[in-house]
Amino acid sequence: MGDMANSSIEFHPKPQQQREVPHVGGFGCTLAELRSLMELRGAEALQKIQEAYGDVSGLCRRLKTSPTEGLADNTNDLEKRRQIYGQNFIPPKQPKTFLQLVWEALQDVTLIILEVAAIVSLGLSFYAPPGEESEACGNVSGGAEDEGEAEAGWIEGAAILLSVICVVLVTAFNDWSKEKQFRGLQSRIEQEQKFTVIRNGQLLQVPVAALVVGDIAQVKYGDLLPADGVLIQGNDLKIDESSLTGESDHVRKSADKDPMLLSGTHVMEGSGRMVVTAVGVNSQTGIIFTLLGAGGEEEEKKDKKGKQQDGAMDSSQTRAKKQDGAVAMEMQPLKSAEGGEMEEREKKKANVPKKEKSVLQGKLTKLAVQIGKAGLVMSAITVIILVLYFVIETFVVDGRVWLAECTPVYVQYFVKFFIIGVTVLVVAVPEGLPLAVTISLAYSVKKMMKDNNLVRHLDACETMGNATAICSDKTGTLTTNRMTVVQSYLGDTHYKEIPAPSALTPKILDLLVHAISINSAYTTKILPPEKEGALPRQVGNKTECALLGFVLDLKRDFQPVREQIPEDQLYKVYTFNSVRKSMSTVIRMPDGGFRLFSKGASEILLKKCTNILNSNGELRGFRPRDRDDMVKKIIEPMACDGLRTICIAYRDFSAIQEPDWDNENEVVGDLTCIAVVGIEDPVRPEVPEAIRKCQRAGITVRMVTGDNINTARAIAAKCGIIQPGEDFLCLEGKEFNRRIRNEKGEIEQERLDKVWPKLRVLARSSPTDKHTLVKGIIDSTTGEQRQVVAVTGDGTNDGPALKKADVGFAMGIAGTDVAKEASDIILTDDNFTSIVKAVMWGRNVYDSISKFLQFQLTVNVVAVIVAFTGACITQDSPLKAVQMLWVNLIMDTFASLALATEPPTESLLLRKPYGRDKPLISRTMMKNILGHAVYQLTIIFTLLFVGELFFDIDSGRNAPLHSPPSEHYTIIFNTFVMMQLFNEINARKIHGERNVFDGIFSNPIFCTIVLGTFGIQIVIVQFGGKPFSCSPLSTEQWLWCLFVGVGELVWGQVIATIPTSQLKCLKEAGHGPGKDEMTDEELAEGEEEIDHAERELRRGQILWFRGLNRIQTQETVSVTTSSTPS
């Protein structure tokens, strides 16, 4: 029989092998057979299962597993299955090597300019002018030092290259460690992700990687399926297969219509059991990854290991090829966006934008380009003036003739001018900016891990600092998510605490226990505490846990009831979803009739009740008037205490005529109310304080919940989201929709703009409402600034809103896989306080970069002006190229390290958020930059023109081409560096604070860098000699340099005294695009850009980011974001 069945499956029967194949490892199915089975859908698949195995239990027999007991937990058997059918693991894509990262870092435009300049400079330094210079060429001979200087000429070019190498290595190392961190994180998440299977009749939680073919797995609402399988038994199961097919409609699955469950898809409703038929690279997700080139080599290895017979191997590979074809056709949307993009990336790495752009990076890029342009203009002017000056002086004033033998000498002059021009450009371009951003973000992300924020997308951390609104979930975020029943209404009595079992009629008690035990997921249970004195552990849905806890409090047990009616004997289950807001289960009674138990939100379920049990347990009519009475006297008081009210009801059907179970409204109606219970979910003790901090920081917190409006309002008041006497709105989903939609039912932004600013609580809201609200706030253009919205969510239904938000927070403990997938940051402790920490870190990143900019731009302005004027007046820049590069190193690499690693302080939460349109460089910063530049320029020009008189030394001005370094210019260089060092301390504060030393010792990196730089500066000046164009200075000269440097701090205080408001003339810089300048097209383009950036980000990190079997969704989401118009 086995052989016959098999030959009907094989497309290319090979008689000799046919007899051997089924006996591979003693199982009745080959890997290839199962793979081809999983390609089929719906009726085709059912037909195939019936032809080949009789039914699903026949398939289970072939796989040597029991549909009810599962596999025996036998290590040898599990290992054998892994060898034959593969492991549930998709090998990750190879990480980029360090050299690849170095190559990517070298693509930076500024660095390319520098490299070119350095190479030109190097080449020219090796070019020695032939022959002796004659007197006729003018005063160009440099005396005895000529030889030495010519030898030292290459140092300039080499020094530029060295600084380029520094920047490249730091950037590459940052990227490398970031990737390593993410990989570590991925493996952490992989290990943490568990799935429920049945082994030896026991429910076990096993790591996803430990699943094997033949396992019986429990699937439930919110799961992301980790392997392919065939459904054995399902209750109202609906799956979101968009990650594989691109179709957004949920697919209904049932054992008799469409039993095929695929890895990487999401369970949106219902529950069930499936037998695992394909894992790892053989599952549908795995096959796609193989197509994308993520698991190629691994699969070949598996094939070799799993099959001894070549024939079997051939057929499996031809099958695999055909399979790949099928998948490729089926995955059209996915393939086009992802697969194609891979090939392109292979073809031309440089085409794919390397980094995503966030709000901050947008502003930075714009600023860097502006500065770069200005630098370019300055350097061009410098070169032109120098050349003209030289030409006029030599050929017009002195009246010399250009002689052939003098050409090399003149060329050397021109080269010197070119190098000065390049130096001006080098100093003008802030190439430390990308470094500062990277360091700051990487540092923050690492530290945020300690604050329970697991950052999945780097830019989310900085966006969070700009957040102006947080839309938070209630359950589990603001509350503890440990629910208990504290009030109940049973048999006409409202109990304010748990009633004694003796106070209740046995009939009511019995009905209640059955209604709760049977009509809840069997995976939800209450286990004894792990430690003595701790609370019992709640496993599964928390609301159901509260009800089961109520059963235990009534001194009854739910386990015996469940054993008496096991899950596979449930006749029909209508699982909970966000539309129904109730759950119902039908069981068959011994007399052949049916009983339906239902539980759900009280105001919804009570509308369906026509009877209620009185104190003797008898039915009594329940009219609409009674219902209104009950809402007023029982439900509203409970809700005002912040309790969630749940109604529990039942209905009996006679055996004579079976109802039409698909007509749900008919079935779940005409109910009899057993009880209404009030469930308390206490507010987390630390939440009110956290919300107060948010409000002080100018962030509006809104609560969006599926709960009843009175409960929501009570909790919001406890948390401090709403305060008495404030002007706020609390709306229900229906009312909210009525206010924001026009007559045609379309959402209008103007209407939304009237609602959201005052809205604080949105109750009884659907996932769509949450998404609408978030989108409406983000798109709104009313108010002084555009809003940046953060959203928290834990449920599958929060996915769309999390995705739409600027920053999505998912709950690490209670969150479903779907929510985590859509989020940017995962809160590992599910706590609202961690969000406040994220805001602090985000603002800190923003401030660090502003501090760095303030420092950097001061140096830039001064260095460029000094080089420019110095060159024009004395034909020689007072700061030599190598000195400029040292200054550049101080200001770029070191300063970015020092200023980007400032730890955040609570004071960051005392100011309003910056928002989208706020410029990077505020007026205060502009005042500081220009103020300090004035001080530094005054000092330097004084030294340049009268310094030799003051110090009584030789003047360094108008020195011939190769003259030795002068003390005069060394003092200028040294003073310049001292001023930068002290200005670095000034730059620690950007909001005009007076105490610049505040908290300086809490940042050891800063102290180390400032002292280290000072040390190196001493070495350079005293022993740098030729290469650095320095001549050693005396102690007195050093003290003067230091004195001028310290003057920076005093001058800083003077600047702080000038009120910024008086300086109307100062312009801010580094704006995000303003509202007025943006046309509609540009706006659309901008949105597209954000989407594109988001997509790049998602793609870039996709392959190595989390458990690989979760990734599918992410890819599709990025495909769908690209296909939906922004």
Side-chain angles (χ1 to χ4, degrees):
M1 161 62 205
D3 287 2
M4 278 303 298
N6 269 339
S7 60
S8 69
I9 295 167
E10 286 290 339
F11 296 114
H12 327 286
K14 296 186 180 173
Q16 297 83 30
Q17 286 139 22
Q18 205 50 48
R19 273 181 281 286
E20 298 168 24
V21 172
H23 305 299
V24 174
F27 296 110
C29 304
T30 62
L31 177 67
E33 229 174 82
L34 290 173
R35 262 176 80 145
S36 66
L37 172 66
M38 293 319 291
E39 285 170 36
L40 305 172
R41 305 279 176 276
E44 277 185 348
L46 270 174
Q47 188 185 345
K48 180 78 177 278
I49 292 175
Q50 280 157 4
E51 284 173 12
Y53 313 107
D55 57 4
V56 179
S57 41
L59 174 63
C60 292
R61 276 196 298 281
R62 289 280 190 92
L63 290 171
K64 299 196 171 168
T65 180
S66 147
T68 48
E69 298 292 307
L71 294 174
D73 213 347
N74 169 343
T75 326
N76 296 343
D77 175 48
L78 296 177
E79 197 42 52
K80 193 161 89 181
R81 287 172 190 271
R82 282 196 190 100
Q83 293 213 333
I84 293 174
Y85 298 112
Q87 307 183 358
N88 195 22
F89 167 73
I90 298 172
K93 193 167 166 249
Q94 284 299 311
K96 283 185 180 152
T97 59
F98 189 69
L99 286 176
Q100 280 172 313
L101 292 169
V102 166
W103 176 244
E104 279 185 7
L106 279 168
Q107 309 297 315
D108 191 63
V109 185
T110 33
L111 292 183
I112 292 173
I113 297 175
L114 287 176
E115 286 154 29
V116 172
I119 291 163
V120 169
S121 156
L122 262 180
L124 290 166
S125 71
F126 290 128
Y127 163 72
E132 290 298 314
E133 295 104 10
S134 64
E135 278 302 309
C137 301
N139 60 338
V140 288
S141 63
E145 295 293 330
D146 205 359
E147 284 306 300
E149 177 63 34
E151 282 166 19
W154 60 273
I155 287 178
E156 217 151 285
I160 302 183
L161 279 181
L162 195 70
S163 71
V164 167
I165 291 168
C166 272
V167 173
V168 167
L169 288 180
V170 172
T171 315
F173 178 74
N174 257 321
D175 287 348
W176 178 79
S177 57
K178 190 166 78 190
E179 182 149 332
K180 203 171 117 212
Q181 240 178 344
F182 277 134
R183 278 190 179 268
L185 196 107
Q186 173 209 327
S187 58
R188 229 187 82 178
I189 292 179
E190 267 181 357
Q191 288 153 13
E192 279 175 9
Q193 201 192 352
K194 298 261 173 64
F195 210 74
T196 314
V197 296
I198 303 172
R199 287 188 185 164
N200 280 341
Q202 297 290 317
L203 278 182
L204 296 179
Q205 291 269 333
V206 298
V208 164
L211 286 176
V212 293
V213 169
D215 256 325
I216 305 294
Q218 289 266 16
V219 295
K220 59 180 190 311
Y221 161 80
D223 280 345
L224 188 154
L225 300 182
D228 293 356
V230 178
L231 191 64
I232 299 174
Q233 172 261 328
N235 304 322
D236 198 20
L237 197 61
K238 281 191 188 160
I239 305 277
D240 173 8
E241 289 189 349
S242 60
S243 58
L244 285 178
T245 60
E247 299 296 323
S248 54
D249 295 342
H250 298 171
V251 185
R252 190 181 279 279
K253 297 282 179 183
S254 60
D256 51 357
K257 289 199 180 71
D258 180 1
M260 311 311 266
L261 300 177
L262 307 173
S263 59
T265 58
H266 291 108
V267 182
M268 300 312 268
E269 276 183 40
S271 60
R273 283 205 319 277
M274 72 170 186
V275 55
V276 176
T277 53
V279 293
V281 284
N282 301 306
S283 67
Q284 294 298 301
T285 309
I287 290 164
I288 293 165
F289 273 104
T290 316
L291 287 183
L292 294 180
E297 315 85 352
E298 189 71 15
E299 201 193 2
E300 282 159 33
K301 274 188 245 156
K302 292 245 166 70
D303 274 336
K304 288 197 182 84
K305 214 191 298 175
K307 298 179 201 57
Q308 291 76 23
Q309 301 93 343
D310 299 322
M313 189 168 157
D314 288 348
S315 73
S316 97
Q317 289 189 333
T318 49
R319 184 74 51 81
K321 285 197 183 98
K322 185 155 70 221
Q323 157 90 19
D324 288 0
V327 172
M329 277 160 26
E330 205 172 318
M331 309 300 161
Q332 222 38 56
L334 183 115
K335 187 90 179 83
S336 58
E338 288 293 332
E341 191 251 353
M342 288 277 173
E343 287 153 34
E344 257 169 56
R345 186 181 298 173
E346 294 317 312
K347 279 186 221 146
K348 199 157 185 200
K349 282 244 166 74
N351 267 0
V352 182
K354 206 172 63 207
K355 293 267 183 350
E356 66 282 357
K357 277 233 174 40
S358 59
V359 179
L360 177 72
Q361 273 160 329
K363 290 179 184 177
L364 278 176
T365 314
K366 208 169 159 191
L367 191 70
V369 168
Q370 287 168 345
I371 296 172
K373 280 183 187 161
L376 202 61
V377 171
M378 287 293 269
S379 65
I381 295 176
T382 311
V383 174
I384 293 167
I385 290 182
L386 283 171
V387 171
L388 283 177
Y389 192 99
F390 174 76
V391 170
I392 292 170
E393 166 109 351
T394 313
F395 301 117
V396 180
V397 180
D398 295 352
R400 296 181 189 282
V401 186
W402 184 302
L403 298 172
E405 65 263 26
C406 293
T407 307
V409 181
Y410 295 146
V411 168
Q412 259 195 310
Y413 260 108
F414 292 144
V415 169
K416 180 182 163 188
F417 299 153
F418 174 71
I419 288 180
I420 290 175
V422 169
T423 314
V424 172
L425 178 64
V426 170
V427 175
V429 174
E431 71 271 30
L433 269 184
L435 193 64
V437 179
T438 317
I439 290 177
S440 192
L441 285 175
Y443 172 76
S444 304
V445 168
K446 214 167 187 163
K447 292 282 194 218
M448 281 169 81
M449 271 299 285
K450 291 186 183 141
D451 284 340
N452 303 313
N453 282 295
L454 193 146
V455 181
R456 293 188 38 207
H457 299 140
L458 264 189
D459 61 337
C461 136
E462 152 261 310
T463 312
M464 201 50 218
N466 292 330
T468 54
I470 298 176
C471 294
S472 173
D473 223 14
K474 175 177 79 72
T475 311
T477 317
L478 302 173
T479 59
T480 54
N481 204 11
R482 187 181 169 85
M483 306 203 185
T484 43
V485 173
V486 288
Q487 295 188 23
S488 53
Y489 180 79
L490 285 156
D492 289 347
T493 321
H494 182 176
Y495 296 97
K496 288 288 173 78
E497 55 236 6
I498 304 291
S502 53
L504 301 173
T505 322
K507 182 184 173 188
I508 295 184
L509 189 56
D510 203 50
L511 264 172
L512 184 68
V513 171
H514 275 74
I516 292 174
S517 308
I518 293 167
N519 185 31
S520 56
Y522 276 35
T523 47
T524 303
K525 37 184 173 308
I526 293 192
L527 302 176
E530 284 175 339
K531 297 193 201 78
E532 265 189 59
L535 294 165
R537 280 181 301 154
Q538 297 187 340
V539 181
N541 180 300
K542 301 297 183 195
T543 312
E544 290 179 350
C545 286
L547 294 170
L548 293 175
F550 185 47
V551 169
L552 297 176
D553 290 340
L554 291 169
K555 310 286 183 283
R556 301 290 287 268
D557 191 359
F558 55 86
Q559 209 48 50
V561 179
R562 288 182 170 182
E563 279 159 11
Q564 184 191 345
I565 305 176
E567 193 171 9
D568 45 14
Q569 285 183 22
L570 301 179
Y571 195 78
K572 173 85 183 155
V573 178
Y574 303 95
T575 49
F576 180 89
N577 68 20
S578 50
V579 181
R580 283 190 192 122
K581 293 209 187 299
S582 68
M583 170 180 177
S584 312
T585 304
V586 181
I587 55 170
R588 187 159 252 199
M589 302 300 281
D591 63 357
F594 300 93
R595 175 169 285 173
L596 168 128
F597 290 117
S598 197
K599 68 163 189 283
S602 53
E603 59 265 50
I604 291 168
L605 218 54
L606 283 175
K607 287 187 177 135
K608 298 181 178 174
C609 290
T610 50
N611 296 298
I612 189 167
L613 296 179
N614 66 13
S615 49
N616 303 323
E618 291 146 9
L619 299 192
R620 168 165 70 77
F622 188 66
R623 299 184 301 283
R625 200 175 65 238
D626 300 330
R627 187 176 67 236
D628 297 343
D629 231 26
M630 183 158 175
V631 167
K632 267 202 195 69
K633 292 186 177 148
I634 311 295
I635 290 170
E636 280 185 3
M638 278 190 191
C640 291
D641 290 341
L643 304 185
R644 175 186 251 182
T645 54
I646 301 279
C647 171
I648 299 166
Y650 79 105
R651 176 184 181 181
D652 284 330
F653 296 95
S654 65
I656 304 155
Q657 192 189 358
E658 188 172 336
D660 170 12
W661 299 114
D662 286 338
N663 183 353
E664 192 186 327
N665 289 342
E666 195 59 38
V667 175
V668 186
D670 201 7
L671 303 173
T672 302
C673 171
I674 307 172
V676 172
V677 295
I679 296 178
E680 181 182 46
D681 184 5
V683 171
R684 287 174 180 265
E686 61 279 3
V687 162
E689 177 54 27
I691 286 179
R692 228 185 348 271
K693 280 184 186 167
C694 282
Q695 289 163 339
R696 235 194 351 251
I699 301 170
T700 312
V701 182
R702 296 182 173 83
M703 180 202 285
V704 183
T705 172
D707 234 330
N708 153 333
I709 189 151
N710 294 322
T711 311
R713 195 185 278 126
I715 298 276
K718 280 184 192 168
C719 293
I721 291 176
I722 54 181
Q723 258 114 18
E726 265 186 3
D727 182 16
F728 59 80
L729 281 175
C730 293
L731 296 179
E732 279 195 339
K734 273 186 193 151
E735 172 64 12
F736 172 69
N737 275 306
R738 197 183 59 70
R739 291 196 186 195
I740 63 170
R741 291 177 192 273
N742 59 17
E743 296 70 43
K744 295 182 196 152
E746 296 158 345
I747 296 168
E748 282 187 5
Q749 187 67 43
E750 300 86 81
R751 291 177 181 236
L752 235 171
D753 288 343
K754 290 192 184 113
V755 176
W756 71 257
K758 287 185 181 173
L759 184 69
R760 291 293 175 273
V761 176
L762 184 57
R764 283 275 172 255
S765 65
S766 68
T768 341
D769 295 339
K770 193 169 185 174
H771 181 258
T772 307
L773 176 67
V774 172
K775 185 176 182 314
I777 298 179
I778 291 177
D779 293 348
S780 171
T781 47
T782 55
E784 314 86 71
Q785 56 175 5
R786 296 268 307 279
Q787 298 280 316
V788 176
V789 184
V791 170
T792 69
D794 54 1
T796 307
N797 49 8
D798 293 322
L802 287 171
K803 196 106 206 120
K804 180 67 199 165
D806 293 295
V807 182
F809 286 91
M811 302 298 145
I813 304 169
T816 57
D817 295 339
V818 187
K820 289 179 189 172
E821 206 61 43
S823 69
D824 300 295
I825 297 180
I826 296 175
L827 297 177
T828 49
D829 63 345
D830 287 18
N831 194 335
F832 192 84
T833 327
S834 306
I835 298 178
V836 181
K837 293 261 176 58
V839 171
M840 233 158 81
W841 277 108
R843 291 188 171 189
N844 193 49
V845 167
Y846 209 89
D847 277 8
S848 297
I849 285 157
S850 293
K851 288 171 189 175
F852 172 69
L853 268 176
Q854 173 172 308
F855 174 67
Q856 166 115 43
L857 292 180
T858 312
V859 186
N860 277 11
V861 170
V862 174
V864 170
I865 293 178
V866 167
F868 175 70
T869 45
C872 296
I873 296 167
T874 66
Q875 287 129 78
D876 185 9
S877 167
L879 297 173
K880 299 289 180 291
V882 181
Q883 296 176 350
M884 284 286 211
L885 283 164
W886 164 236
V887 170
N888 220 19
L889 198 68
I890 299 177
M891 6 180 264
D892 283 353
T893 317
F894 294 163
S896 62
L897 260 175
L899 293 167
T901 51
E902 288 269 307
T905 56
E906 286 281 331
S907 62
L908 286 168
L909 295 174
L910 298 177
R911 61 169 175 75
K912 298 278 175 275
Y914 287 140
R916 275 179 209 271
D917 317 326
K918 173 91 169 53
L920 264 180
I921 299 173
S922 62
R923 259 214 190 100
T924 313
M925 285 168 62
M926 209 55 156
K927 177 183 77 175
N928 290 342
I929 292 170
L930 295 178
H932 286 295
V934 166
Y935 174 81
Q936 295 185 12
L937 286 171
T938 314
I939 297 283
I940 285 175
F941 284 137
T942 310
L943 285 177
L944 183 59
F945 295 114
V946 294
E948 70 270 30
L949 306 173
F950 181 79
F951 285 109
D952 192 20
I953 47 176
D954 294 336
S955 167
R957 291 195 304 282
N958 299 329
L961 187 61
H962 288 312
S963 56
S966 66
E967 281 186 2
H968 184 191
Y969 275 17
T970 308
I971 289 177
I972 294 178
F973 165 59
N974 199 20
T975 309
F976 184 63
V977 172
M978 288 302 120
M979 291 194 292
Q980 299 328 321
L981 275 183
F982 286 99
N983 196 28
E984 200 165 335
I985 299 173
N986 274 331
R988 292 183 66 246
K989 303 291 175 207
I990 50 172
H991 298 297
E993 298 94 328
R994 284 219 176 265
N995 181 5
V996 289
F997 291 102
D998 181 31
I1000 194 164
F1001 296 114
S1002 63
N1003 186 1
I1005 300 180
F1006 184 86
C1007 303
T1008 316
I1009 284 178
V1010 170
L1011 294 172
T1013 313
F1014 186 61
I1016 299 172
Q1017 178 64 17
I1018 295 176
V1019 174
I1020 288 178
V1021 170
Q1022 298 305 99
F1023 312 105
K1026 272 280 170 48
F1028 281 97
S1029 315
C1030 283
S1031 141
L1033 301 180
S1034 68
T1035 318
E1036 187 192 347
Q1037 289 164 335
W1038 263 101
L1039 286 173
W1040 275 108
C1041 295
L1042 266 175
F1043 171 72
V1044 173
V1046 175
E1048 267 290 356
L1049 296 174
V1050 181
W1051 184 248
Q1053 296 301 314
V1054 174
I1055 296 177
T1057 320
I1058 304 168
T1060 315
S1061 50
Q1062 301 299 308
L1063 304 169
K1064 289 277 186 286
C1065 54
L1066 287 185
K1067 288 274 287 180
E1068 298 152 324
H1071 283 266
K1075 256 180 261 169
D1076 323 333
E1077 312 142 32
M1078 288 175 93
T1079 59
D1080 292 342
E1081 286 164 33
E1082 273 181 330
L1083 266 168
E1085 212 175 85
E1087 272 178 26
E1088 186 48 53
E1089 221 174 75
I1090 292 170
D1091 272 357
H1092 178 67
E1094 196 178 66
R1095 217 159 43 240
E1096 276 307 325
L1097 168 80
R1098 303 271 143 102
R1099 280 188 192 150
Q1101 292 169 359
I1102 222 165
L1103 280 162
W1104 33 268
F1105 184 51
R1106 280 124 323 160
L1108 268 156
N1109 48 5
R1110 299 172 158 202
I1111 286 163
Q1112 217 42 55
T1113 329
Q1114 180 111 344
E1115 294 177 337
T1116 322
V1117 170
S1118 66
V1119 176
T1120 30
T1121 36
S1122 58
S1123 50
T1124 52
S1126 307

